[in-house]
Amino acid sequence: MVLATGYDVVVVGAGIVGAACAEALSTAGVRVLVVDRGGVAGGTTAAGEGNVLVSDKEPGPELDLAIASRREWPAVLKRLPERVADVEWEPKGGLVVATTDPAPLEAFAEVQRSAGVDARVISAAEAFELEPLLTRAVTTAAYYPDDAQLQPVLAATALLAAVRARGGEVRTGVNALSVRRSAGGRATGLETDAGVIPCGAVVNACGPWAGAFSEAAGGPIQVLPRRGMILVTAPLPLCVRHKVYDADYVGAVGSGEADLQTSTVVESTRGGTVLIGSSRERIGFDDAVRVNVLRELARKAVGLFPFLADVSVMRAYGGFRPYAPDHLPVIGADPRIEGLWHATGHEGAGIGLAASTGRLITELFLGVAPHVDPNPFRIDRPALLPASAVS
């Protein structure tokens, strides 16, 4: 069955990255349909903390994208329909603390400053002024005024509401199977369990499932799931004013190790709960709750904020993040199949990087000058392709 449509682009995936791509395309007048086998923001996005960070990345392409995306998010939010515009955007700043040798954190802040990040090394006493409940074991800290937070499910929902308001469509409960191609190899439609949807292009924004969809579509890329867990406390009066994490977090973000890694990340939400992370573990799509991981998160969080020892944990949740072997997102056209695009591989930074990802996909699709260099994120880089494709 072929489903009639007038869409230029079908975006596969209604998470934050797919929603941001669809919103940016629709802003430019592109006719967009978004499909997802589940509900809106029902996968990785629902398991995110909502971080929009520049503080956790070493200088390089991903940091450049993060800086651009931090600038882009306020512009995106201004475009949203007023009735859905409140996505709990909080430009509250971030605080990175060290409890051992201060030199590595201070050196990291220095190299970030050289890349254009507002990174301010402050004393332990100044850190306590920002966060009075911090452990007194802090030796130094770096303050990042540009770090921000939003509610990821609200954000994805609002972005898709904007798409609908511009004449686009969102269909949930539709399982994307493959990409239909012409005799010449160009994408002509998306094959789904509900029939074929004709279109001129397909954007693979399937998050940790992007590798499987890319293979089914005929343009395989290596994107793997990486599990993360988060603890949520009972609601409290405001007690953590910024996003606060220990200096080990930066190393964990950039690590390619498959074994469990944990580092302390603590932040409050507008609803009063405190989110405690973070863990990283490559265990496929195994979603079993591991008590040892939760204990480790709790132990390290209490080490950073001792008052948490007396706070009840309300729930815990986990999710799978799309991990690329070289730690860079995958953004752009697939050179093997005309009309197939990819927007994935952001791992735990998808919320923060979504705004610029959507803009970059749109710029490349329309053939206009990109606002960031797209080459580091290209699909044909060796780390992404199966060994047979690069040998």
Side-chain angles (χ1 to χ4, degrees):
M1 178 176 63
V2 177
L3 304 178
T5 181
Y7 296 106
D8 302 314
V9 177
V10 176
V11 177
V12 184
I16 191 71
V17 170
C21 290
E23 191 280 331
L25 286 163
S26 68
T27 296
V30 178
R31 295 166 297 176
V32 183
L33 166 66
V34 180
V35 300
D36 198 293
R37 65 184 179 186
V40 170
T44 299
T45 298
E49 295 173 85
N51 296 325
V52 182
L53 305 181
V54 296
S55 58
D56 63 340
K57 298 167 184 65
E58 296 183 355
E62 188 178 23
L63 179 57
D64 294 341
L65 188 66
I67 293 171
S69 202
R70 174 60 181 84
R71 294 171 180 153
E72 187 72 13
W73 262 116
V76 171
L77 296 179
K78 287 181 180 178
R79 297 199 297 259
L80 300 181
E82 185 175 349
R83 62 185 174 82
V84 294
D86 184 8
V87 300
E88 300 185 6
W89 172 258
E90 295 182 82
K92 59 186 178 182
L95 187 66
V96 187
V97 300
T99 56
T100 54
D101 181 6
L105 176 56
E106 292 171 354
F108 182 75
E110 176 61 33
V111 298
Q112 280 201 307
R113 279 197 297 274
S114 69
V117 176
D118 187 353
R120 308 174 188 179
V121 175
I122 61 176
S123 66
E126 291 171 315
F128 300 146
E129 291 181 8
L130 293 174
E131 293 290 346
L133 300 179
L134 266 175
T135 173
R136 265 37 190 177
V138 169
T139 56
T140 193
Y143 174 57
Y144 292 85
D146 290 333
D147 277 357
Q149 182 181 5
L150 51 72
Q151 212 293 334
V153 174
L154 290 178
T157 302
L159 291 168
L160 293 176
V163 172
R164 289 189 181 100
R166 298 176 193 133
E169 188 180 353
V170 179
R171 299 180 191 171
T172 57
V174 176
N175 190 17
L177 303 176
S178 186
V179 173
R180 176 163 290 192
R181 287 181 272 174
S182 67
R186 177 179 176 79
T188 60
L190 178 70
E191 297 184 359
T192 78
D193 59 358
V196 178
I197 303 172
C199 61
V202 173
V203 177
N204 173 15
C206 298
W209 298 274
F213 178 73
S214 71
E215 186 171 359
I221 55 175
Q222 292 195 65
V223 176
L224 309 169
R226 202 176 189 191
R227 183 92 189 279
M229 296 292 298
I230 296 172
L231 294 172
V232 185
T233 73
L236 302 167
L238 181 63
C239 50
V240 181
R241 303 171 181 175
H242 307 80
K243 176 186 173 65
V244 183
Y245 58 88
D246 66 41
D248 292 340
Y249 180 75
V250 174
V253 167
S255 172
E257 294 294 322
D259 293 341
L260 174 66
Q261 299 176 68
T262 60
S263 54
T264 311
V265 184
V266 180
E267 60 191 316
S268 295
T269 69
R270 189 182 293 182
T273 59
V274 174
L275 305 182
I276 297 171
S278 68
S279 68
R280 284 172 168 77
E281 192 174 14
R282 292 212 333 255
I283 53 174
F285 285 103
D286 182 355
D287 62 357
V289 175
R290 289 171 169 76
V291 175
N292 66 306
V293 177
L294 302 182
R295 284 175 177 162
E296 183 75 358
L297 295 179
R299 181 185 68 80
K300 289 189 172 183
V302 170
L304 198 61
F305 284 99
F307 82 92
L308 289 172
D310 300 318
V311 174
S312 298
V313 171
M314 183 170 62
R315 65 187 180 98
Y317 64 90
F320 300 104
R321 300 153 178 161
Y323 164 85
D326 59 0
H327 299 287
L328 287 176
V330 188
I331 307 170
D334 193 313
R336 298 161 295 182
I337 301 176
E338 188 179 359
L340 176 61
W341 296 70
H342 302 279
T344 184
H346 301 78
E347 201 175 329
I351 308 299
L353 300 179
S356 265
T357 297
R359 177 175 173 180
L360 183 56
I361 282 283
T362 302
E363 291 165 341
L364 295 173
F365 183 79
L366 296 177
V368 302
H371 71 296
V372 294
D373 181 5
N375 288 319
F377 314 114
R378 69 186 188 277
I379 284 69
D380 59 351
R381 61 189 199 257
L384 289 184
L385 303 180
S388 59
V390 296
S391 60

